Amino acid sequence: MKKRTPLAGACWAGLLPALLWGCGGGSETNTDLTAVDVSKPATGWSLVWSDEFNGPTVDDKKWNFEVNCAGGGNNEKQCYTASTENAFIKEGMLNIVAKKAPEGAEKPYTSARLTTKNKADFKYGRFEMRAKLPAGQGSWPAFWMMPTDSVYGEWPRSGEIDIMEAVNLKTPGAEGKPEAFVHGTLHYGKSAPNNVSSGKAYALPGGKNPADDFHTYAVEWQQGEIRWYVDDYLYATQRQSEVRFNSKQQAVGLKHRGWFAEYYDQITGKLTTFWNTAPFDQKFFLILNQAVGGNWPENVNNKGIDPAAFANGQAYIIDYVRVFQCEANPATGKGCETIRAGYDKADDALVEGKAPIPVPPSDGVARNLTIFDNVVNPSWPGWDCCGGSTPTVVNESGRGGVMEFKVGASPTVNGFISRAEFIKDPAGAPSPFDASPLLDKGSLSFAMKLVSAPNNPGAAWKVKVESNNAATAVELDITASTEGKTPQVGVWQTYTFPLKKLADAGLDLSAIDVVMIFPAWGSGEGAVYHVDDVKIAGASSPELVLFKDQKNLDWPMWDCCGGSTPTEEMDDEAHGMTAEFKIGAAPTVMGFITRAANGGGNKPFDATAILQGGVLRFEMKVVSGTANPATAWKFKVESNNGAEAVELDLTASTEGKAPVTGQWQTYTFKIADLAAKGLDVSAIDVVMVFPAWGEGNGAVYRIDNARFYDPTATPAQGLNLFSDAAAAQWKIWDCCGGSTPTVEDDDAAHGKAAQFVIGAAPTVMGLLADDKVYYDATALLATGVVRFELKVITPPSNPDAQWLFKIEAFDAASAVELKLSDSLEGKKPVTGQWQTYTFKLKDLADKGLDVSAIDVLMVFPSWGMGNGAVYRLDNVAIAAE
């Protein structure tokens, strides 16, 4: 460590006018700096204020005495006085002594609290104290800072910096070990009681106790960062939060979760969260005090207060207090950092704060929300408004976890809520849901079962949804659901409420934050009920298939640097065609890429809509391993042309497995985890799987079934056009031959089937939607199919007739016609046999079909060649594969 050189006379000689705010009265100080041997941890620090406590009494030009019995609002048991019995100078040191109070006093103990407010106020610097701390159950010494002016509002919105605190030193804890920790803490955020704090405890090396000897306690405070030291060892670092933006410049998360501020925006006038240097960017003053008892010390170690510890006075002895300023940049405090390796690492000194995770503004993307499904969504906990119960998750046979609600004698409403004051799980954050993009197709749905009915048999069951802190709300009878059912004891029932119905009733869909299910207010006593599958849904879930049976031309296989060309190779029956990669002597990484410069289709994948439940999942088989069997296998994903990237071991996957040569293994990585590590998920453009750089020579490996998707998303249901009967608003149809198709009994496996008979008039036949009825299959586009079964009873009289499939959309604005032999099965009809035919929706879309408005599906012999044909269709569906 380097030696500190005091800047003698700087404050009162006027050499640095910018420092005068810290001099507490300029030339009126009596401090003799020439008597001080000051050492400094790093170059560039200049001493701007100090008290060496060399005078006969406490210097009232530097310190104020607080005189009150209020303490810090922590139920402390002392009154602070200005008495020399509680604060005095002895042998060049300040003694703050906590003593038993006289009989009849307002509180049982007296002590002292000294501040520099309006005498020495500081913004940034190094703040240091050398002291020997008091011991005993109930003792609470502190060296800390508070804002001179509460610029951001009441405590702790304007912040608090605790340089050093300790409680109950030398008192045995639960394990019998003497208490020996000191603590460094920040307080910030919302006003009490929703305030938060973050910090770290530190124990001296070698089992030393801070109450046995003098030690130096300090913080270095600069713009955006505060560091804590004991005897010049940096043990804790806290920083302002760093907001992470996606490629659309929307706030989507935090690169670092640190402190935050909540105050009224001067432009909008609204109470707003800020992830910047506030509140630790204003002037603060110093405080020295010793409290007795209070919420913290009385509830740890031996609990309460030990009177014997204070019988003869318990002394907090301070040798000096010094304040230094960074000469390099006094305005920011940067440039004089005393740091060590690990000071900025989460597994070492860096402390994670309590800042809320920013919720991106609505971007018009339709998303689904799972409020409850087997487990609690930490951002949407179960909630009893007013009855005092705690909704709990219980296991139910056949369903797994369900949320149990109870109604007692107190009137209440129960449900799920996403407001800050009700979220206790650290993983949760207020997450009002923007359902406005789902207006036309979305719904709120849930399943419910009564365990016991309300004592009042006439109690009506209600559903209430609120938005934007109850700025708008809609309450409906549960029978207003699409199903229209009344709850029954012992029966699970589903209830669906179209979002349009809620919006028409006055709900603002853009910020839904409460969903309630309850018996009418005041009539629910005795009710116990289970709720599951609570969702707001209707959005198609985006999906990207990187490789499944064939290459994705927009995302080709890629060898970054080795000069090889990955190939498609057949594997076992279960996998079929796979992507094969080979690594030679040249170091390289391999995978899939969509960047145009590398042969891709320049189609980055936006996974924002599946951030919460989405995954990247793939299967991999190592055909031959690397020359070094200890080589680590890696997974890397990049976005936005490499602006962000995350690289992990394959063993960091959900499965946690290392590759085994010759075996197919599945690897799953959660998109939310990748985002938390800094990936911009809105513009993913490279996915790589490879042996560690430079160690892959000889490796041959295959990848299959690689895709981004949301396995938790409600699967698109598709449309069953015919199964025993035509779907509602659809009919079996003869276009032009004048016949009327019929429904006929077939074999036991098929039951009733649609029968078509073609006469002399040329015609096409199949299923037709009613006028202005269209089926939107967009949600099924990635993996959906059109599938049907056909049995030819009598073939056309013309043996050259081809059997065809045709599908149309939006009143024939688009159409695709194919041979039945173009199906995935590739078969021609065989008279008297049921055969299945499947066509991929994506293939139909690629050929020009508008899958958002399908209204005709036809199967028929070639136009004008079908005379005499009799055939049946069954199990006709547009379905998810």
Side-chain angles (χ1 to χ4, degrees):
M1 303 313 256
K2 298 199 170 110
K3 289 284 181 187
R4 252 193 229 105
T5 337
L7 185 62
C11 287
W12 38 114
L15 296 178
L16 293 174
L19 305 182
L20 288 177
W21 51 262
C23 294
S27 60
E28 298 174 356
T29 183
N30 294 318
T31 302
D32 180 10
L33 287 176
T34 61
V36 182
D37 179 17
V38 187
S39 61
K40 131 166 107 171
T43 58
W45 292 109
S46 296
L47 185 70
V48 295
W49 186 94
S50 74
D51 197 339
E52 307 299 322
F53 303 113
N54 290 329
T57 61
V58 175
D59 189 347
D60 61 6
K61 294 183 178 65
K62 297 180 178 180
W63 299 98
N64 309 296
F65 279 88
E66 287 193 9
V67 178
N68 61 61
C69 295
N74 300 296
N75 296 313
E76 300 155 27
K77 301 304 186 292
Q78 82 291 321
C79 287
Y80 288 127
T81 79
S83 170
T84 54
E85 291 190 357
N86 294 119
F88 55 87
I89 304 295
K90 181 181 178 181
E91 298 177 356
M93 298 185 187
L94 171 65
N95 286 246
I96 298 177
V97 180
K99 305 179 65 174
K100 185 172 176 57
E103 290 294 328
E106 183 175 342
K107 290 198 173 178
Y109 298 93
T110 61
S111 188
R113 179 151 122 174
L114 285 66
T115 82
T116 66
K117 186 175 184 180
N118 296 321
K119 292 182 177 178
D121 305 283
F122 309 95
K123 177 182 174 182
Y124 307 138
R126 179 179 170 95
F127 304 84
E128 186 176 286
M129 170 190 75
R130 182 173 183 267
K132 179 180 177 182
L133 306 185
Q137 179 68 38
S139 63
W140 186 0
F143 174 38
W144 51 303
M145 304 179 77
M146 287 288 284
T148 304
D149 301 303
S150 295
V151 171
Y152 300 112
E154 70 277 19
W155 184 88
R157 281 186 175 149
S158 292
E160 175 182 325
I161 304 171
D162 297 333
I163 302 171
M164 184 287 303
E165 291 181 283
V167 297
N168 308 332
L169 287 175
K170 305 189 82 170
T171 302
E175 298 178 357
K177 295 181 180 179
E179 177 63 49
F181 284 102
V182 293
H183 303 261
T185 310
L186 295 181
H187 296 262
Y188 49 87
K190 302 175 183 290
S191 58
N194 300 311
N195 51 295
V196 295
S197 64
S198 53
K200 193 170 185 178
Y202 176 75
L204 291 163
K208 297 177 183 177
N209 196 288
D212 286 337
D213 205 347
F214 286 87
H215 297 276
T216 303
Y217 305 93
V219 295
E220 289 181 2
W221 169 28
Q222 67 187 48
Q223 187 180 74
E225 181 173 292
I226 304 174
R227 300 176 295 277
W228 280 257
Y229 303 80
V230 175
D231 294 336
D232 288 336
Y233 178 76
L234 194 169
Y235 75 90
T237 304
Q238 295 203 56
R239 290 175 168 173
Q240 71 179 80
S241 297
E242 292 182 71
V243 179
R244 184 163 46 79
F245 297 91
N246 65 15
S247 62
K248 303 169 187 174
Q249 293 306 300
Q250 296 169 323
V252 295
L254 296 177
K255 291 181 182 178
H256 171 66
R257 190 180 188 186
W259 69 66
F260 75 102
E262 182 187 78
Y263 55 90
Y264 288 93
D265 189 300
Q266 293 183 355
I267 297 174
T268 66
K270 294 180 178 179
L271 192 61
T272 305
T273 297
F274 293 87
W275 294 271
N276 53 24
T277 56
F280 302 108
D281 56 4
Q282 303 294 322
K283 290 183 180 180
F284 278 59
F285 61 90
L286 295 169
I287 307 173
L288 291 168
N289 72 288
Q290 181 181 184
V292 181
N295 297 339
W296 182 7
E298 291 188 57
N299 286 289
V300 295
N301 302 105
N302 286 341
K303 299 190 177 181
I305 299 172
D306 178 10
F310 300 91
N312 298 315
Q314 186 63 262
Y316 173 17
I317 306 173
I318 298 103
D319 183 11
Y320 62 76
V321 176
R322 296 171 183 163
V323 180
F324 302 85
Q325 187 179 61
C326 180
E327 291 179 325
N329 194 335
T332 66
K334 296 181 178 181
C336 304
E337 295 85 350
T338 308
I339 58 174
R340 62 173 178 80
Y343 91 101
D344 57 351
K345 300 294 187 292
D347 59 353
D348 191 337
L350 186 62
V351 177
E352 182 177 271
K354 301 290 179 62
I357 308 300
V359 177
S362 174
D363 54 9
V365 176
R367 295 175 175 83
N368 298 324
L369 170 67
T370 299
I371 295 174
F372 182 90
D373 182 10
N374 289 320
V375 296
V376 174
N377 178 335
S379 298
W380 280 82
W383 172 64
D384 176 350
C385 151
C386 323
S389 76
T390 302
T392 55
V393 177
V394 299
N395 286 315
E396 181 162 323
S397 178
R399 294 197 76 95
V402 299
M403 185 66 79
E404 182 174 271
F405 297 100
K406 297 179 179 180
V407 181
S410 299
T412 193
V413 292
N414 290 325
F416 302 88
I417 192 164
S418 189
R419 294 179 187 158
E421 58 269 35
F422 301 102
I423 297 172
K424 306 304 179 186
D425 189 330
S431 304
F433 182 64
D434 182 6
S436 53
L438 298 173
L439 173 64
D440 294 327
K441 298 178 181 178
S443 61
L444 163 68
S445 63
F446 58 88
M448 187 177 87
K449 182 185 83 171
L450 281 188
V451 178
S452 61
N455 299 337
N456 179 354
W461 282 84
K462 303 286 186 177
V463 173
K464 187 173 184 180
V465 185
E466 296 184 357
S467 178
N468 195 16
N469 284 294
T472 65
V474 169
E475 182 175 314
L476 299 170
D477 286 344
I478 204 167
T479 53
S481 65
T482 301
E483 296 79 7
K485 299 173 182 176
T486 300
Q488 296 181 35
V489 173
V491 178
W492 278 101
Q493 296 181 165
T494 299
Y495 298 90
T496 306
F497 294 85
L499 291 176
K500 191 170 190 312
K501 186 170 190 171
L502 300 177
D504 289 346
L507 184 69
D508 173 9
L509 297 181
S510 70
I512 295 173
D513 53 8
V514 180
V515 173
M516 293 172 270
I517 307 156
F518 56 96
W521 180 266
S523 65
E525 185 177 359
V528 178
Y529 52 107
H530 291 171
V531 176
D532 196 11
D533 297 331
V534 187
K535 298 176 182 177
I536 300 175
S540 58
S541 182
E543 180 175 326
L544 170 65
V545 177
L546 297 171
F547 193 99
K548 182 181 179 182
D549 296 328
Q550 60 183 357
K551 68 178 70 173
N552 180 337
L553 296 179
D554 290 324
W555 278 77
M557 300 173 289
W558 171 67
D559 175 351
C560 150
C561 321
S564 75
T565 301
T567 58
E568 294 176 281
E569 303 293 339
M570 288 296 295
D571 201 272
D572 56 28
E573 185 177 353
H575 291 85
M577 193 69 74
T578 64
E580 183 171 279
F581 303 89
K582 295 181 179 180
I583 298 183
T588 191
V589 292
M590 293 180 160
F592 305 90
I593 193 165
T594 192
R595 295 174 191 162
N598 302 95
N602 199 29
K603 292 186 177 180
F605 180 61
D606 184 354
T608 308
I610 57 171
L611 177 61
Q612 296 308 315
V615 299
L616 168 59
R617 181 171 289 153
F618 57 89
E619 292 180 78
M620 185 177 88
K621 181 175 83 172
V622 175
V623 178
S624 60
T626 60
N628 179 1
T631 297
W633 283 81
K634 302 286 184 177
F635 160 76
K636 187 174 184 180
V637 58
E638 296 183 359
S639 66
N640 205 11
N641 286 303
E644 293 84 22
V646 172
E647 180 175 321
L648 300 168
D649 287 347
L650 276 188
T651 52
S653 64
T654 301
E655 296 78 10
K657 300 175 183 176
V660 177
T661 301
Q663 291 184 14
W664 280 103
Q665 292 176 223
T666 299
Y667 296 92
T668 304
F669 293 89
K670 295 180 180 178
I671 293 172
D673 291 346
L674 299 177
K677 293 182 182 298
L679 184 71
D680 172 5
V681 301
S682 74
I684 296 170
D685 52 10
V686 180
V687 173
M688 293 170 272
V689 182
F690 55 94
W693 179 264
E695 299 181 35
N697 191 7
V700 179
Y701 55 105
R702 293 175 178 175
I703 292 177
D704 196 14
N705 299 320
R707 61 173 174 152
F708 289 92
Y709 73 112
D710 184 357
T712 70
T714 303
Q717 298 302 307
L719 176 63
N720 194 339
L721 291 170
F722 189 97
S723 178
D724 293 330
Q729 298 184 303
W730 286 71
K731 59 178 175 286
I732 50 180
W733 168 70
D734 175 353
C735 152
C736 320
S739 75
T740 302
T742 57
V743 176
E744 305 291 340
D745 288 320
D746 203 273
D747 58 28
H750 292 82
K752 296 184 180 299
Q755 180 166 293
F756 303 88
V757 178
I758 298 182
T763 192
V764 291
M765 293 179 159
L767 291 128
L768 174 71
D770 292 346
D771 189 35
K772 300 190 184 306
V773 172
Y774 309 98
Y775 177 65
D776 184 355
T778 306
L780 299 167
L781 180 58
T783 59
V785 297
V786 178
R787 178 178 289 128
F788 54 88
E789 292 182 77
L790 167 74
K791 181 170 78 172
V792 176
I793 296 173
T794 304
S797 54
N798 185 339
D800 295 327
Q802 295 270 7
W803 281 90
L804 303 175
F805 160 73
K806 187 172 185 181
I807 188 167
E808 297 181 357
F810 201 58
D811 303 319
S814 65
V816 172
E817 181 175 311
L818 299 167
K819 298 174 184 177
L820 286 191
S821 56
D822 292 328
S823 65
L824 296 182
E825 295 78 11
K827 301 174 182 176
K828 294 181 179 180
V830 176
T831 301
Q833 292 184 13
W834 279 105
Q835 291 174 245
T836 299
Y837 294 91
T838 307
F839 297 87
K840 291 184 178 180
L841 268 175
K842 190 171 187 308
D843 291 344
L844 298 174
D846 290 344
K847 293 180 183 301
L849 183 70
D850 174 5
V851 298
S852 71
I854 296 169
D855 55 1
V856 180
L857 186 152
M858 295 169 274
V859 180
F860 55 92
S862 305
W863 179 264
M865 302 172 68
N867 190 8
V870 179
Y871 58 103
R872 292 177 178 174
L873 293 176
D874 197 13
N875 299 321
V876 184
I878 302 171
E881 180 71 317

